[in-house]
């Protein structure tokens, strides 16, 4: 009797575990509940050759009435604030400049849920279902890389707003971006650590599931080692994953090594928790990060702990660079009643660059838009003058900001290397 | 590794483990009485945290009042879920009710995304919970003491209710055999409802503590704690209340020490929890404390 009972418990538990594993497989795709959609990227790969003439046809069909522009951004999940800020900028630009080639521009927004699989699905949905001519997105380099492959196969151009990892555009002739890239951003922060903070030893904490964080950490490391001339200038490299909330184990190890500065690029939510836990453990070294820190939630979650944290970003409302910057700033304040962040400005610029390319191409045909995008030169955007190089990257200045009294405060502008 | 450093790691581990234990207790109690693994437990945690968030942020209630209200509301939600999703399936095969629980879990997550929005929010935490106590080079956050104390008090309270009250006796009777319990004049519906209410109230306390320790709030926040605490409950022996506590501590301390001693493996800390689960099921399926009292609560 007793054995029988244990057996039945055992069976139930084994079943539960199997279920759990299935569930966690879903989780690994972070809630990609539309499993039927996960086949789509593969479908689009097959459809590339045969589907090209198809998509041309359909785009000429649909181009009669409107020009279709797709947007894929994280509206939910760990990067939701970043995606939402970007979309604010895109919507604003769409309101201010709603037409091109005498036709109305129609935006299609798909949430990529801060998930790589969903990002690939989102792009194929925009291409196959909504028949868009050009795509804008996405916040987050990992998401952009996942989506970029699908767009490349379907030969539809994408204009990235804020993915800064170099691999997003490398070997992808259809991906462009209006922001600077991480080798530059890493160097800017390494210089700030070395020159301004006089740091000799640095620790790095990176999110290993986030290409942005890993890439930026490596560029920081290279630049910092070069600046100090000390091969052992990086005393520790700690790792965590997106979604982690407990960082005390990594931080306790770092505290023991006593670095002068800690570089910890990553999602604003995790980073704010991490810095909070570091301060609770009594770590006094200044924290540095990248452009993802710029979200109001970073300060709300981190509170007193994130005071003094410095990071690099793309734009500041305090030092407008072009005529368009002022225009953007005024319109944004009027519409949303607050100061814009860099991501809103980049979303705004990405839309304008895409619209400009459609205008110069004189058609809504994806290939023509791609060719026009590649020739973008001296375009005056809200974040600066945008010239796309042979990789499709913009060579732009960076801005350093710092958290002071619960606000992001402008520190300095750093020009790119010529 | 110096002794001081090890002590700091141990304290971090206890602090995390006590949080796991707190949530695992509710998990295991519901299983003990109704033999249902309530997969929605993690999402109930999320709801509780949001109730406090809205109480403070939207209705400007004092923090303690929002917390109390949240516990009551969450208990009611838990009872409601039982009535809507589990009660109609009480005579169905156990698998059906388990699947229903998974459905409730997905429903609550997506409900959260639609109603609360997917953007992570900051959880408000009062000053009392924010301090740090320093002993030489070792820091203990106030919550690192408050949470274990709350966990132990709730554990003792729960054990007392189950073993020493009439309702507790009825709960134990239901856990042995529902039909016989009915014949003995026990109002089974009321007892099961009470069990879910109590379990959800425990989840609410866990959710509030989770929010205070990790003040980042979004609708999927309950998934990982839910899974981890399920593992903790199984490791300790599912259905066994002190076992859940033991399991929580083992898991929390184990995770921290894994990252501390093998920093290269820090990306695998969640995998570590699942590996423990598999090992326990292979070699001791009733859990560490399971055998002795598996059929009690």
């Amino acid at each position: 009797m007793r054995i029988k009972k244990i057996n039945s418990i055992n069976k139930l538990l084994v079943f539960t575990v199997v279920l759990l594993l299935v569930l966690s497989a879903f989780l690994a795709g972070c809630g990609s509940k539309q499993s039927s959609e996960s086949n789509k990227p593969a479908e689009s790969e097959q459809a590339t050759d045969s589907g090209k003439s198809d998509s041309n046809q359909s785009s000429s069909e649909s181009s009669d009435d409107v020009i279709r522009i797709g947007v894929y951004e994280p509206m939910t999940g760990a990067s939701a604030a970043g995606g939402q800020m970007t979309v604010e900028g895109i919507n604003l630009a769409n309101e201010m400049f709603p037409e091109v080639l005498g036709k109305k521009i129609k935006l299609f927004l798909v949430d990529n849920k801060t998930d790589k699989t969903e990002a690939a699905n989102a792009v194929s949905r925009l291409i196959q279902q909504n028949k868009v001519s050009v795509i804008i997105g996405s916040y987050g380099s990992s998401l952009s890389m996942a989506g970029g492959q699908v767009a490349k196969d379907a030969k539809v151009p994408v204009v990235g707003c804020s993915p800064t990892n170099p691999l997003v555009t490398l070997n992808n002739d259809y991906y462009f971006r209006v922001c600077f890239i991480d080798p530059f951003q890493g160097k800017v922060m390494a210089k700030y650590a070395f020159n301004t903070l006089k740091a000799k030893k640095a620790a790095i904490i990176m999110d290993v599931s986030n290409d942005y964080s890993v890439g930026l950490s490596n560029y920081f490391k290279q630049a910092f080692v070069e600046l100090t001339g000390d091969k052992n200038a990086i005393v520790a490299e700690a790792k965590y994953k997106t979604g982690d909330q407990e960082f005390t184990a990594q931080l306790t190890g770092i505290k023991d090594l006593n670095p002068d500065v800690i570089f910890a690029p990553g999602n604003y939510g995790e980073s704010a928790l991490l810095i909070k836990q570091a301060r609770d453990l009594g770590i006094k070294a200044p924290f540095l990060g990248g452009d993802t820190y710029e979200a109001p939630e970073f300060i709300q979650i981190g509170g007193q702990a994130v005071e003094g944290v410095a990071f690099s970003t793309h734009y500041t409302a305090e030092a407008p660079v072009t005529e368009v910057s002022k225009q953007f700033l005024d319109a944004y304040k009027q519409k949303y009643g607050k100061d814009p962040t860099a991501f809103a400005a980049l979303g705004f610029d990405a839309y304008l660059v895409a619209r400009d390319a459609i205008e110069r191409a004189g058609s809504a045909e994806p290939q023509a838009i791609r060719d026009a995008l590649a020739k973008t030169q001296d375009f005056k955007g809200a974040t600066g003058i945008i010239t796309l190089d042979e990789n499709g990257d913009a060579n732009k200045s960076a801005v350093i900001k710092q958290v002071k009294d619960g606000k992001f405060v402008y520190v300095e502008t750093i020009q790119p290397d010529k | 590794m110096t002794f001081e450093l090890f002590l700091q790691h141990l304290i971090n581990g206890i602090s995390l483990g006590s949080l796991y234990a707190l949530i695992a207790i509710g998990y295991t109690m519901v299983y003990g009485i109704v033999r249902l693994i309530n997969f929605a437990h993690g999402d109930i945690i999320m709801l509780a945290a949001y109730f406090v968030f809205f109480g403070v942020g939207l209705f400007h209630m004092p923090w303690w009042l929002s917390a109390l209200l949240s516990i009551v509301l969450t208990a009611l939600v838990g009872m409601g879920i039982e009535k809507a999703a589990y009660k109609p399936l009480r005579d169905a095969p156990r698998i059906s009710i388990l699947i229903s629980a998974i459905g409730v879990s997905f429903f609550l997550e997506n409900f959260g995304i639609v109603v609360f929005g997917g953007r992570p929010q900051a959880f408000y935490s009062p000053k009392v919970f924010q301090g740090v106590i320093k002993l030489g080079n070792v820091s203990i956050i106030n919550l690192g003491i408050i949470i274990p104390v709350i966990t132990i008090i709730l554990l003792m309270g729960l054990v007392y209710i189950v073993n020493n009250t009439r309702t507790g006796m009825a709960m134990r009777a239901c856990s042995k055999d529902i039909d016989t319990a009915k014949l003995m004049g026990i109002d089974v519906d009321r007892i099961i409802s009470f069990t879910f209410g109590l379990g959800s109230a425990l989840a609410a306390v866990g959710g509030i503590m989770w929010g205070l320790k990790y003040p980042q709030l979004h609708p999927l926040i309950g998934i990982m704690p839910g899974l981890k605490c399920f593992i903790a409950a199984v490791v300790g022996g599912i259905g066994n209340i002190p076992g859940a506590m033991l399991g929580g501590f083992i898991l929390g301390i184990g995770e921290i020490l894994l990252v501390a001693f093998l920093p290269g493996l820090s990306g695998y800390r969640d995998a570590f929890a699942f590996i423990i689960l598999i090992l326990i099921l292979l070699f001791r399926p009733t859990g560490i404390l399971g055998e002795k009292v598996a059929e009690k609560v």
Side-chain angles (χ1 to χ4, degrees):
Chain A
M1 179 69 192
R2 187 182 182 83
I3 292 167
K4 210 174 160 193
K5 185 136 203 172
I6 288 173
N7 260 347
S8 76
I9 292 176
N10 194 356
K11 252 187 211 160
L12 182 64
L13 279 178
V14 169
F15 174 77
T16 316
V17 169
V18 171
L19 248 168
L20 253 178
L21 290 178
V22 173
L23 272 179
S24 60
F26 272 120
L27 272 179
C30 212
S32 55
K33 276 151 214 152
Q34 295 150 300
S35 53
S36 62
E37 277 210 358
S38 59
N39 296 328
K40 277 202 171 168
E43 267 172 37
S44 79
E45 253 165 58
Q46 291 166 359
T48 324
D49 294 326
S50 59
K52 199 189 164 226
S53 53
D54 259 19
S55 73
N56 285 351
Q57 260 174 20
S58 56
S59 70
S60 60
E61 255 171 36
S62 56
S63 66
D64 294 333
D65 41 350
V66 287
I67 305 268
R68 293 154 176 261
I69 297 184
V71 179
Y72 76 117
E73 287 287 341
M75 303 303 284
T76 55
S79 300
Q84 291 181 10
M85 289 186 284
T86 311
V87 170
E88 280 176 3
I90 297 172
N91 284 338
L92 178 69
N94 183 239
E95 258 174 46
M96 291 168 72
F97 307 95
E99 285 182 359
V100 68
L101 304 173
K103 288 177 200 151
K104 228 177 144 42
I105 294 175
K106 192 165 169 123
L107 289 178
F108 293 89
L109 173 66
V110 178
D111 177 13
N112 65 35
K113 301 179 185 170
T114 321
D115 178 69
K116 293 173 205 176
T117 320
E118 292 287 342
N121 289 346
V123 169
S124 57
R125 186 165 137 197
L126 286 170
I127 294 171
Q128 299 191 342
Q129 215 166 309
N130 300 328
K131 316 276 183 214
V132 298
S133 309
V134 54
I135 297 171
I136 298 172
S138 165
Y139 179 97
S141 296
S142 303
L143 304 172
S144 298
M145 280 184 229
Q149 191 57 43
V150 180
K152 181 186 176 188
D153 292 340
K155 298 196 185 339
V156 172
V158 190
V159 184
C161 308
S162 57
T164 48
N165 190 302
L167 295 175
V168 172
T169 54
L170 210 65
N171 298 322
N172 189 340
D173 289 339
Y174 289 83
Y175 224 112
F176 303 88
R177 67 180 128 205
V178 294
C179 55
F180 55 64
I181 55 176
D182 286 336
F184 173 60
Q185 185 168 212
K187 208 184 282 172
V188 165
M189 289 324 286
K191 273 186 188 158
Y192 182 81
F194 183 71
N195 295 333
T196 312
L197 300 177
K198 311 277 177 235
K200 297 281 179 293
K201 300 279 179 198
I204 292 176
I205 307 177
M206 60 173 125
D207 176 352
V208 282
S209 59
N210 183 338
D211 295 302
Y212 160 81
S213 176
V214 175
L216 186 52
S217 296
N218 285 331
Y219 294 115
F220 175 87
K221 182 181 176 183
Q222 272 174 22
F224 193 74
V225 166
E226 209 171 284
L227 282 170
T228 52
D230 175 6
K231 258 192 251 163
N232 305 315
I234 305 293
V235 291
E237 278 184 64
K239 299 178 176 112
Y240 66 93
K241 274 187 354 251
T242 300
D244 280 1
Q245 297 183 306
E246 173 67 44
F247 307 100
T248 49
Q250 291 96 322
L251 289 166
T252 302
I254 284 178
K255 185 189 174 192
D256 197 42
L257 297 165
N258 206 13
D260 302 325
V261 64
I262 300 171
F263 186 62
N267 296 330
Y268 57 86
E270 282 90 343
S271 303
L273 285 181
L274 186 148
I275 296 169
K276 198 168 151 52
Q277 289 172 19
R279 297 292 181 240
D280 283 346
L281 282 172
I283 295 178
K284 300 218 168 50
F287 269 88
L288 301 179
D291 52 332
T292 46
Y293 278 16
E294 197 183 8
E297 283 82 352
F298 179 72
I299 296 177
Q300 287 164 12
I301 295 170
Q304 203 57 36
V306 297
E307 277 294 308
V309 172
F311 59 92
S312 51
T313 185
H314 309 263
Y315 166 87
T316 174
E318 288 167 55
V321 268
T322 63
E323 266 306 297
V324 187
S325 310
K326 286 204 195 85
Q327 229 182 316
F328 164 72
L329 193 59
D330 294 341
Y332 187 93
K333 273 187 183 159
Q334 209 185 345
K335 185 167 158 72
Y336 299 106
K338 56 184 177 185
D339 267 345
T341 57
F343 299 109
L346 287 170
F348 185 86
D349 278 1
Y351 175 88
L352 290 190
V353 165
R355 179 177 169 274
D356 174 65
I358 297 172
E359 196 155 39
R360 280 186 288 114
S363 97
E365 204 265 307
Q367 187 64 38
I369 298 174
R370 190 221 85 89
D371 295 340
L373 269 175
K375 291 187 199 111
T376 302
Q377 244 185 353
D378 298 327
F379 181 85
K380 289 193 182 60
T383 57
I385 313 283
I386 297 165
T387 297
L388 298 184
D389 65 13
E390 69 275 12
N391 289 326
D393 301 329
N395 195 14
K396 282 161 68 188
S397 56
V399 168
I400 291 183
K401 285 192 182 180
Q402 196 171 21
V403 181
K404 263 203 188 116
D405 303 323
K407 284 201 178 91
F408 295 120
V409 178
Y410 169 70
V411 180
E412 58 181 322
T413 303
I414 296 182
Q415 295 305 324
D417 317 313
K418 285 296 166 194
Chain B
M1 188 171 283
T2 62
F3 178 68
E4 228 171 30
L5 199 60
F6 179 74
L7 205 62
Q8 179 74 63
H9 280 305
L10 204 60
I11 285 167
N12 297 341
I14 290 171
S15 165
L16 177 66
S18 60
L19 200 50
Y20 284 161
L22 180 53
I23 299 171
I25 291 172
Y27 234 119
T28 220
M29 187 199 65
V30 170
Y31 180 85
I33 310 293
V34 265
R35 296 272 177 259
L36 160 71
I37 294 162
N38 186 10
F39 271 107
H41 202 73
D43 303 292
I44 290 172
I45 290 168
M46 175 273 291
L47 279 185
Y50 266 104
F51 286 148
V52 177
F53 175 78
F54 285 121
V56 173
L58 215 60
F59 300 110
H60 304 288
M61 285 189 284
W63 191 88
W64 58 270
L65 184 63
S66 315
L68 272 180
L69 260 171
S70 160
I71 294 172
V72 174
L73 270 176
T74 312
L76 290 177
V77 169
M79 288 152 108
I81 289 173
E82 194 272 328
K83 285 265 178 299
Y86 305 148
K87 194 178 166 212
L89 293 170
R90 205 173 286 157
D91 297 325
R94 216 172 269 169
I95 298 295
S96 315
I97 199 165
L98 191 65
I99 290 169
S100 180
I102 294 169
V104 170
S105 163
F106 277 179
F107 169 75
L108 291 179
E109 282 157 23
N110 289 292
F111 174 83
I113 289 176
V114 172
V115 176
F116 310 142
R119 193 163 167 164
Q121 312 267 7
F123 188 84
Y124 174 76
S125 69
K127 277 257 159 7
V128 199
F129 297 110
Q130 283 181 350
V132 179
I133 298 163
K134 292 217 175 247
L135 299 171
N137 253 339
V138 179
S139 323
I140 310 171
I141 51 172
N142 286 356
L143 279 172
I145 297 168
I146 294 170
I147 297 175
V149 169
I150 289 182
T151 307
I152 289 169
I153 291 175
L154 289 179
L155 175 80
M156 293 195 304
L158 197 61
V159 170
Y160 178 81
I161 288 177
V162 170
N163 289 333
N164 296 28
T165 62
R166 278 183 72 85
T167 315
M169 199 193 283
M171 284 162 83
R172 277 178 290 148
C174 286
S175 84
K176 291 239 163 132
D177 190 332
I178 287 199
D179 292 326
T180 314
K182 245 185 235 166
L183 289 176
M184 298 293 130
I186 292 172
D187 185 350
V188 172
D189 286 347
R190 198 180 63 87
I191 293 301
I192 291 182
S193 202
F194 175 78
T195 306
F196 270 88
L198 197 59
S200 301
L202 285 171
V205 178
I208 295 166
M209 291 299 137
W210 193 281
L212 288 173
K213 191 158 191 283
Y214 310 110
Q216 183 200 13
L217 195 56
H218 60 82
L220 304 182
I221 204 80
I223 298 179
M224 253 313 154
L227 290 180
K228 291 271 179 72
C229 297
F230 166 70
I231 296 173
V234 173
V235 168
I238 191 142
N240 181 302
I241 293 172
M245 177 130 164
L246 183 69
F249 279 112
I250 290 177
L251 204 61
I253 296 171
E255 256 185 53
I256 294 283
L257 292 185
L258 176 86
V259 178
F261 285 104
L262 303 164
L265 294 181
S266 40
Y268 292 94
R269 63 194 296 168
D270 295 341
F272 165 77
F274 287 105
I275 289 170
I276 285 199
L277 175 66
I278 292 169
L279 289 180
I280 282 278
L281 286 179
L282 280 179
F283 296 109
R284 203 178 163 81
T286 47
I288 296 173
L289 296 186
E291 218 155 20
K292 268 187 282 173
V293 260
E295 287 165 70
K296 275 210 229 147
V297 174

